[in-house]
Amino acid sequence: MNGADILCETLLANGIDTCFANPGTSEMHFVAALDRQPRMRCVLGLFEGVVTGAADGYARMADKPAATLLHLGPGLANGLANLHNARRARTPMINVVGDHATGHLIHDAPLTSDIDSLARPMSHWVGRAETAQTVGAECEAAIRAARSGAGGIATLILHADAAWTETPFVQPIPVSLPELAGPDAALVARAAAALRNGRQTTLLISGHALRDRQLDLLDRIAQKAGARLLAQQANGRMQRGAGRVALDRVPYVIDQALACFATTEQLILIGAKAPVGFFAYPGKSGSMLPPSCEVIELASPDHDLTAIINALADAVGTAPAARLAARHRPDLPTGKLTPDAIAIALAGAMPDNAIICDESVTSGRDFFRSTYGAAPHDFLQLTGGAIGMGIPLATGAAVACPDRKVIGLQADGSGMYTVQGLWTQARERLDVLTIIFANRRYQILHGELLNVGAGPAGETARRMLDLEDPALDWVMMARSMGVEAARAESAEGFRDVLHSALARKGPFLIEAVI
Ligand SMILES: Cc1ncc(C[n+]2csc(CCOP(=O)(O)OP(=O)(O)O)c2C)c(N)n1
């Protein structure tokens, strides 16, 4: 056994059996070790942003980390934007980043770089395995870091000689994980008092509080207290649809977000952060809360949210039943294809337990309104604002949940960042339907140009915000990567393609020209 084998054994002993990878020469012994491990599923991504984004989607749905395999500093750097999104989602992940053999570093060979400095800002934990003897302990430390609290990004730098050197084998045992912090009695009492004092109160929630059972109890608390229940603007995973609590999110658009909290006197945070503007806008507040609003942080994302919600229910009492969304299929509009028509068609046709991966940017803003009564589904979002996550996220979610339909809501500009994720969907025969919102522009930035007071777009600005010359052909792109595809240009056309796409298994793409 060599260090690379020990690494595989340690991952497997801890239930980590999926590795999203894009390897190079320095990782060849790890590749060989993976090759000797039939229990480890290895998935090739053709760009590191696909690898890290897929590991994010996988862990959000599997509730356990995947490993990634990345090639030195440049490979890691290519994957950083989606590591940033995963870090914001508090996704657990273990990145194995190869480095040169320790004795080779003095030569400053072309691929040598400061991997630690590249890794640190997007990682909760960074470690180095310099010898085969320390690989096991370093891997265990990485797993512990990834699985502590809500979850973390652990980056383990593996030197080539630590991977290839023979070392005695001791069967690893699962690492012990620290317990989540439970309720703080004084804070629960303070939140309960706030919920009884008659002032306008919002319970702002995220993380595991957005799972079905927790939402149910939270809604019963909110009803009892006359408080509003609301989700953070961006969340890793949310369970919604018919038979579940119909929950709204804080709007993205700054004026709407400010209006949403204009009369809020007290805010109780459960796994969420106090709302702020996505960006600064001249003359507008950065905080979305009125200055006098009192904020009570009842639970950080790292707490045991279930235990804290239970404690709050005991302290405040609950209404007998939660208000659950009824099954509702809105009437499909005809004629022009719009984002709303797409949401309505999905509300009618989405199968039970679908997984929606949303990177629809401006086109998805009204998706919730039409889909409260859709079949129950999980909703996964862009959490860190770094676009290019949608196709990889859907890819990883489909690896985690092979029996569920994954539906990607994908803006075209964002989709182009990691379009090669479609190839992985074809290679792995993943059951993913990608819907491209082909507005052929960076629509959001047209609005932001005005919102920040930079004035209307001239010719140069327009050329930096429009994608129509030449127009992208998504059907040809998808087919070139082995994914069947069709184009829809009317509401009726979209509905028909959607029905046939949902009736089949395997990857499919619809270019929805809106
Ligand atoms: C990594 C990264 N690069 C650039 C941006 C800036 N940005 C935000 S939205 C956007 C384009 C969005 O266009 P598209 O995905 O087509 O969605 P639309 O606005 O048309 O709905 C860009 C370039 C970003 N958020 N993240």
Side-chain angles (χ1 to χ4, degrees):
M1 283 242 172
N2 60 27
D5 291 311
I6 305 280
L7 181 52
C8 285
E9 292 287 350
T10 310
L11 291 169
L12 285 167
N14 286 282
I16 300 164
D17 56 9
T18 304
C19 180
F20 296 93
N22 190 278
T25 306
S26 36
E27 297 83 41
M28 284 295 120
H29 280 273
F30 188 40
V31 169
L34 291 166
D35 207 23
R36 290 189 282 272
Q37 282 289 2
R39 284 186 296 149
M40 185 72 86
R41 179 169 183 188
C42 295
V43 177
L44 176 62
L46 301 186
F47 174 68
E48 291 84 349
V50 174
V51 170
T52 51
D56 185 1
Y58 173 93
R60 291 195 206 184
M61 289 313 303
D63 278 329
K64 66 173 186 173
T68 70
L69 168 51
L70 303 167
H71 183 50
L72 298 111
L76 169 64
N78 277 343
L80 283 180
N82 276 337
L83 279 188
H84 162 84
N85 288 323
R87 183 172 156 276
R88 287 280 167 183
R90 297 303 308 270
T91 297
M93 195 185 299
I94 292 141
N95 302 308
V96 178
V97 182
D99 198 357
H100 290 305
T102 45
H104 197 63
L105 289 174
I106 51 158
H107 300 301
D108 192 30
L111 272 160
T112 306
S113 68
D114 181 354
I115 301 175
D116 303 70
S117 293
L118 289 167
R120 214 166 282 121
M122 307 304 183
S123 305
H124 295 88
W125 180 95
V126 180
R128 244 172 212 278
E130 290 179 325
T131 65
Q133 290 73 34
T134 60
V135 168
E138 287 294 331
C139 181
E140 287 177 353
I143 293 165
R144 205 167 292 118
R147 305 213 68 169
S148 293
I153 309 293
T155 302
L156 172 60
I157 302 165
L158 175 68
H159 286 278
D161 51 342
W164 74 49
T165 302
E166 295 286 320
T167 185
F169 175 64
V170 182
Q171 177 60 44
I173 53 166
V175 301
S176 57
L177 300 174
E179 282 208 3
L180 297 175
D184 172 325
L187 261 179
V188 173
R190 194 176 149 210
L195 285 167
R196 278 195 221 99
N197 67 14
R199 297 170 70 197
Q200 290 235 24
T201 305
T202 295
L203 286 157
L204 190 67
I205 63 174
S206 190
H208 269 72
L210 297 172
R211 301 289 172 94
D212 195 10
R213 269 189 325 117
Q214 285 75 0
L215 274 175
D216 203 88
L217 192 53
L218 279 164
D219 184 70
R220 291 168 55 204
I221 296 170
Q223 275 186 72
K224 174 84 180 179
R228 174 174 65 165
L229 187 64
L230 194 63
Q232 187 173 272
Q233 195 270 326
N235 307 284
R237 178 177 170 189
M238 190 168 178
Q239 296 195 306
R240 60 189 305 275
R244 290 176 172 163
V245 173
L247 191 68
D248 219 344
R249 285 182 290 146
V250 177
Y252 168 87
V253 176
I254 179 122
D255 291 333
Q256 293 173 18
L258 286 165
C260 168
F261 290 104
T263 58
T264 304
E265 296 171 290
Q266 306 178 116
L267 184 73
I268 299 174
L269 300 173
I270 301 179
K273 291 176 83 169
V276 295
F278 220 86
F279 293 101
Y281 298 89
K284 292 191 177 156
S285 166
S287 165
M288 298 300 102
L289 301 175
S292 58
C293 180
E294 187 190 346
V295 178
I296 301 171
E297 187 178 5
L298 178 59
S300 82
D302 291 317
H303 280 97
D304 183 341
L305 299 189
T306 304
I308 291 172
I309 295 165
N310 287 336
L312 190 64
D314 290 343
V316 180
T318 58
R323 295 159 295 188
L324 305 179
R327 187 78 180 89
H328 175 58
R329 291 182 177 82
D331 291 338
L332 190 71
T334 52
K336 193 171 153 41
L337 186 55
T338 61
D340 215 29
I342 292 170
I344 289 170
L346 279 167
M350 195 193 290
D352 274 358
N353 277 323
I355 301 165
I356 306 291
C357 293
D358 178 31
E359 193 179 40
S360 54
V361 192
T362 56
S363 296
R365 289 204 179 137
D366 291 327
F367 179 80
F368 267 28
R369 194 183 56 203
S370 307
T371 53
Y372 286 117
H377 57 275
D378 282 84
F379 184 80
L380 277 50
Q381 260 181 286
L382 176 63
T383 43
I387 57 174
M389 185 226 42
I391 294 173
L393 194 77
T395 305
V399 171
C401 301
D403 301 328
R404 298 175 65 174
K405 180 66 92 180
V406 178
I407 301 174
L409 306 179
Q410 186 59 61
D412 53 357
S414 302
M416 283 304 290
Y417 283 63
T418 41
V419 63
Q420 58 278 67
L422 292 174
W423 179 87
T424 302
Q425 294 177 9
R427 147 73 75 92
E428 299 293 325
R429 317 286 191 268
L430 301 177
D431 196 13
V432 182
L433 167 63
T434 303
I435 298 168
I436 301 292
F437 292 87
N439 61 8
R440 298 178 178 160
R441 63 209 315 237
Y442 289 166
Q443 175 64 31
I444 191 172
L445 298 184
H446 277 276
E448 295 292 50
L449 195 67
L450 298 175
N451 292 340
V452 299
E459 178 59 12
T460 301
R462 203 186 53 71
R463 281 176 57 80
M464 284 193 271
L465 306 182
D466 285 351
L467 313 177
E468 79 226 322
D469 177 23
L472 296 158
D473 188 329
W474 280 92
V475 173
M476 262 165 48
M477 266 193 288
R479 286 187 184 150
S480 77
M481 286 180 266
V483 173
E484 278 302 306
R487 183 172 294 122
E489 296 179 280
S490 66
E492 298 86 336
F494 179 80
R495 179 202 51 208
D496 293 348
V497 182
L498 179 67
H499 276 102
S500 53
L502 289 174
R504 47 182 287 158
K505 222 169 142 62
F508 194 88
L509 180 142
I510 304 175
E511 178 179 350
V513 181
I514 55 167

